Short mmCIF file of all heavy atoms in Angstrom, two decimals:
data_model
loop_
_atom_site.label_atom_id
_atom_site.label_comp_id
_atom_site.label_asym_id
_atom_site.label_seq_id
_atom_site.Cartn_x
_atom_site.Cartn_y
_atom_site.Cartn_z
N LEU H 256 -240.17 39.82 126.70
CA LEU H 256 -239.94 41.20 127.14
C LEU H 256 -240.25 41.32 128.66
O LEU H 256 -239.48 41.97 129.35
CB LEU H 256 -240.80 42.12 126.33
CG LEU H 256 -240.47 43.58 126.40
CD1 LEU H 256 -239.08 43.89 125.90
CD2 LEU H 256 -241.50 44.43 125.64
N ALA H 257 -241.30 40.69 129.05
CA ALA H 257 -241.68 40.76 130.46
C ALA H 257 -240.60 40.14 131.33
O ALA H 257 -240.27 40.63 132.42
CB ALA H 257 -243.06 40.08 130.69
N PHE H 258 -240.09 39.02 130.85
CA PHE H 258 -239.06 38.35 131.62
C PHE H 258 -237.73 39.14 131.65
O PHE H 258 -236.92 38.91 132.53
CB PHE H 258 -238.79 36.94 131.11
CG PHE H 258 -239.70 35.94 131.73
CD1 PHE H 258 -240.50 35.11 130.92
CD2 PHE H 258 -239.76 35.78 133.09
CE1 PHE H 258 -241.39 34.20 131.46
CE2 PHE H 258 -240.59 34.83 133.67
CZ PHE H 258 -241.46 34.07 132.86
N SER H 259 -237.59 40.04 130.71
CA SER H 259 -236.37 40.83 130.74
C SER H 259 -236.48 42.03 131.69
O SER H 259 -235.51 42.71 131.97
CB SER H 259 -236.02 41.28 129.32
OG SER H 259 -237.02 42.09 128.84
N ILE H 260 -237.72 42.28 132.20
CA ILE H 260 -237.85 43.42 133.11
C ILE H 260 -237.01 43.22 134.39
O ILE H 260 -236.27 44.15 134.81
CB ILE H 260 -239.33 43.65 133.50
CG1 ILE H 260 -240.05 44.19 132.28
CG2 ILE H 260 -239.50 44.67 134.61
CD1 ILE H 260 -241.58 44.31 132.39
N PRO H 261 -237.04 42.04 135.01
CA PRO H 261 -236.18 41.89 136.20
C PRO H 261 -234.71 42.08 135.86
O PRO H 261 -233.91 42.62 136.68
CB PRO H 261 -236.43 40.46 136.66
CG PRO H 261 -237.78 40.10 136.11
CD PRO H 261 -237.90 40.88 134.81
N THR H 262 -234.30 41.71 134.64
CA THR H 262 -232.85 41.81 134.33
C THR H 262 -232.47 43.30 134.15
O THR H 262 -231.30 43.62 134.28
CB THR H 262 -232.49 41.06 133.05
OG1 THR H 262 -233.19 41.68 131.93
CG2 THR H 262 -232.81 39.62 133.08
N LEU H 263 -233.48 44.17 133.90
CA LEU H 263 -233.19 45.61 133.90
C LEU H 263 -232.52 46.04 135.15
O LEU H 263 -231.61 46.83 135.18
CB LEU H 263 -234.46 46.41 133.68
CG LEU H 263 -235.02 46.62 132.32
CD1 LEU H 263 -236.33 47.36 132.38
CD2 LEU H 263 -234.02 47.42 131.47
N PHE H 264 -233.02 45.45 136.29
CA PHE H 264 -232.56 45.89 137.57
C PHE H 264 -231.53 44.92 138.22
O PHE H 264 -230.82 45.27 139.09
CB PHE H 264 -233.76 46.01 138.53
CG PHE H 264 -234.82 46.98 138.09
CD1 PHE H 264 -235.90 46.55 137.35
CD2 PHE H 264 -234.69 48.32 138.34
CE1 PHE H 264 -236.83 47.42 136.92
CE2 PHE H 264 -235.66 49.25 137.94
CZ PHE H 264 -236.72 48.77 137.15
N SER H 265 -231.61 43.69 137.70
CA SER H 265 -230.82 42.70 138.40
C SER H 265 -229.37 42.69 137.91
O SER H 265 -228.51 42.15 138.55
CB SER H 265 -231.44 41.30 138.23
OG SER H 265 -231.37 40.95 136.84
N GLY H 266 -229.13 43.25 136.81
CA GLY H 266 -227.77 43.36 136.31
C GLY H 266 -227.28 42.06 135.69
O GLY H 266 -227.94 41.03 135.69
N ALA H 267 -226.17 42.16 135.07
CA ALA H 267 -225.56 41.01 134.41
C ALA H 267 -224.33 40.62 135.22
O ALA H 267 -223.27 41.26 135.09
CB ALA H 267 -225.17 41.33 132.96
N VAL H 268 -224.54 39.64 136.05
CA VAL H 268 -223.54 39.33 137.11
C VAL H 268 -222.12 39.16 136.57
O VAL H 268 -221.18 39.84 137.01
CB VAL H 268 -223.97 38.09 137.88
CG1 VAL H 268 -222.91 37.67 138.91
CG2 VAL H 268 -225.27 38.37 138.62
N ILE H 269 -221.98 38.31 135.58
CA ILE H 269 -220.65 37.95 135.10
C ILE H 269 -220.05 39.07 134.33
O ILE H 269 -218.85 39.44 134.46
CB ILE H 269 -220.65 36.65 134.28
CG1 ILE H 269 -221.14 35.49 135.16
CG2 ILE H 269 -219.36 36.35 133.65
CD1 ILE H 269 -221.43 34.23 134.45
N ILE H 270 -220.87 39.72 133.45
CA ILE H 270 -220.32 40.77 132.60
C ILE H 270 -219.94 41.98 133.45
O ILE H 270 -218.90 42.61 133.26
CB ILE H 270 -221.35 41.16 131.56
CG1 ILE H 270 -221.51 40.03 130.55
CG2 ILE H 270 -220.98 42.43 130.80
CD1 ILE H 270 -220.23 39.57 129.82
N GLU H 271 -220.72 42.30 134.46
CA GLU H 271 -220.37 43.37 135.36
C GLU H 271 -219.07 43.07 136.08
O GLU H 271 -218.30 44.00 136.38
CB GLU H 271 -221.53 43.63 136.36
CG GLU H 271 -222.72 44.31 135.71
CD GLU H 271 -223.84 44.53 136.69
OE1 GLU H 271 -223.71 44.22 137.89
OE2 GLU H 271 -224.83 45.15 136.27
N GLN H 272 -218.89 41.85 136.39
CA GLN H 272 -217.65 41.48 137.08
C GLN H 272 -216.46 41.60 136.17
O GLN H 272 -215.46 42.12 136.58
CB GLN H 272 -217.83 40.00 137.57
CG GLN H 272 -216.77 39.50 138.52
CD GLN H 272 -216.89 40.16 139.90
OE1 GLN H 272 -217.90 40.74 140.24
NE2 GLN H 272 -215.86 40.05 140.71
N ILE H 273 -216.58 41.12 134.94
CA ILE H 273 -215.47 41.18 134.00
C ILE H 273 -215.10 42.61 133.71
O ILE H 273 -213.91 42.96 133.67
CB ILE H 273 -215.85 40.43 132.69
CG1 ILE H 273 -215.92 38.92 132.96
CG2 ILE H 273 -214.79 40.69 131.59
CD1 ILE H 273 -216.43 38.13 131.77
N PHE H 274 -216.08 43.46 133.40
CA PHE H 274 -215.79 44.81 133.00
C PHE H 274 -215.82 45.80 134.21
O PHE H 274 -215.75 46.99 133.96
CB PHE H 274 -216.80 45.24 131.94
CG PHE H 274 -216.63 44.51 130.63
CD1 PHE H 274 -217.44 43.45 130.32
CD2 PHE H 274 -215.63 44.87 129.75
CE1 PHE H 274 -217.29 42.74 129.15
CE2 PHE H 274 -215.49 44.14 128.56
CZ PHE H 274 -216.30 43.14 128.27
N GLN H 275 -215.89 45.23 135.38
CA GLN H 275 -215.85 46.08 136.60
C GLN H 275 -216.92 47.15 136.52
O GLN H 275 -216.71 48.28 136.93
CB GLN H 275 -214.47 46.74 136.71
CG GLN H 275 -214.03 47.11 138.14
CD GLN H 275 -213.49 45.87 138.86
OE1 GLN H 275 -213.34 44.81 138.27
NE2 GLN H 275 -213.20 46.00 140.11
N TRP H 276 -218.08 46.79 136.00
CA TRP H 276 -219.17 47.77 135.94
C TRP H 276 -219.85 47.73 137.28
O TRP H 276 -220.31 46.70 137.78
CB TRP H 276 -220.19 47.25 134.84
CG TRP H 276 -221.23 48.29 134.53
CD1 TRP H 276 -222.48 48.34 135.12
CD2 TRP H 276 -221.13 49.31 133.59
NE1 TRP H 276 -223.16 49.44 134.61
CE2 TRP H 276 -222.40 50.02 133.66
CE3 TRP H 276 -220.23 49.78 132.71
CZ2 TRP H 276 -222.66 51.10 132.82
CZ3 TRP H 276 -220.48 50.86 131.91
CH2 TRP H 276 -221.69 51.54 132.00
N PRO H 277 -219.94 48.90 137.90
CA PRO H 277 -220.43 48.91 139.29
C PRO H 277 -221.96 48.77 139.39
O PRO H 277 -222.64 49.64 139.84
CB PRO H 277 -219.98 50.29 139.81
CG PRO H 277 -219.84 51.12 138.63
CD PRO H 277 -219.56 50.24 137.44
#
Side-chain angles (χ1 to χ4, degrees):
Chain H
L256 193 61
F258 272 122
S259 62
I260 291 172
T262 64
L263 275 176
F264 302 93
S265 64
V268 175
I269 297 171
I270 292 302
E271 286 181 358
Q272 191 72 13
I273 290 174
F274 292 99
Q275 207 81 6
W276 189 269

